[in-house]
Amino acid sequence: MEKIKKRWDISQNWQLLFPFLGVLLTILTAYLIARRFLHWFGLNNTSFEWVFTLGIGAILYFGMLRFFLWCFEKLKTKWPVEERWEMIAIFIVFAITGSISGKLAGPFTEFLGLKQGEVSGWIFWTARILLIFPIYQILLVFFGWIFGQFAFFWNFEKKMLKRMGLGFLIP
């Protein structure tokens, strides 16, 4: 445990939540992707189902873990964070925000009367992608606040909007 605390600059026990949550979410993601592959290859309900799922899931987990650690090394000089565990929190916020904004865009497009199959695919997907953007911006700051990284995400948000020429939207 002391090795984990030292590696991630953890000074208080509650901060251990982020490395464990990061590992848990990475395992879950690897498992869900492996299940998608399982169905894609038509191996569900066969004798190979669990061997395939666990094998591919383990490969994906270690691949994603190496990728995330590589990203941490590349971003530690670019992101103004004091402790390494904060980078895990930031990655978790990006993952949750992206997933939820993509899921919420569906009901919003239906609310606007744009249903897939009833309107042109160009109109449906353009509207859905355009709806994802403001949903994402709001959720990014909200989940950043929940995970204790409000200042990072508020500055990130302001910087992104200014680069897009939408700086007039922020005070």
Side-chain angles (χ1 to χ4, degrees):
M1 192 64 72
E2 290 303 317
K3 190 176 180 182
I4 293 171
K5 285 183 173 183
K6 185 176 181 180
R7 177 174 172 77
W8 294 104
D9 300 328
I10 293 173
S11 58
Q12 299 177 13
N13 286 337
W14 68 268
Q15 296 166 345
L16 283 168
L17 171 72
F18 294 108
F20 288 122
L21 191 57
V23 167
L24 183 68
L25 290 173
T26 305
I27 289 170
L28 178 64
T29 303
Y31 171 77
L32 292 174
I33 293 171
R35 294 295 294 180
R36 289 285 177 145
F37 280 140
L38 179 82
H39 293 289
W40 193 41
F41 290 126
L43 295 173
N44 51 323
N45 300 324
T46 65
S47 58
F48 298 111
E49 181 174 4
W50 285 105
V51 173
F52 181 87
T53 302
L54 294 176
I56 297 298
I59 291 167
L60 288 169
Y61 169 74
F62 287 110
M64 286 189 294
L65 189 63
R66 289 188 55 91
F67 174 71
F68 294 146
L69 292 174
W70 176 79
C71 288
F72 289 159
E73 288 301 315
K74 294 292 181 187
L75 294 172
K76 73 180 177 184
T77 58
K78 292 185 178 196
W79 284 356
V81 294
E82 296 175 17
E83 311 293 337
R84 289 183 56 140
W85 64 266
E86 291 178 299
M87 293 187 75
I88 299 171
I90 291 168
F91 268 59
I92 291 171
V93 169
F94 278 124
I96 290 172
T97 302
S99 299
I100 291 177
S101 62
K103 290 286 185 185
L104 288 177
F108 276 108
T109 53
E110 286 192 23
F111 176 75
L112 294 174
L114 302 172
K115 295 185 174 142
Q116 191 173 12
E118 292 182 10
V119 296
S120 167
W122 290 99
I123 295 170
F124 175 80
W125 286 107
T126 303
R128 187 167 175 155
I129 290 169
L130 289 174
L131 281 171
I132 287 174
F133 179 73
I135 295 169
Y136 183 82
Q137 305 311 313
I138 293 166
L139 290 178
L140 192 62
V141 175
F142 174 72
F143 282 111
W145 172 72
I146 287 176
F147 280 84
Q149 299 299 317
F150 177 80
F152 174 84
F153 283 105
W154 182 242
N155 291 331
F156 183 86
E157 195 69 37
K158 291 189 291 190
K159 188 176 182 181
M160 183 171 51
L161 289 173
K162 284 179 185 174
R163 285 184 179 173
M164 295 175 73
L166 299 172
F168 62 89
L169 293 174
I170 52 176

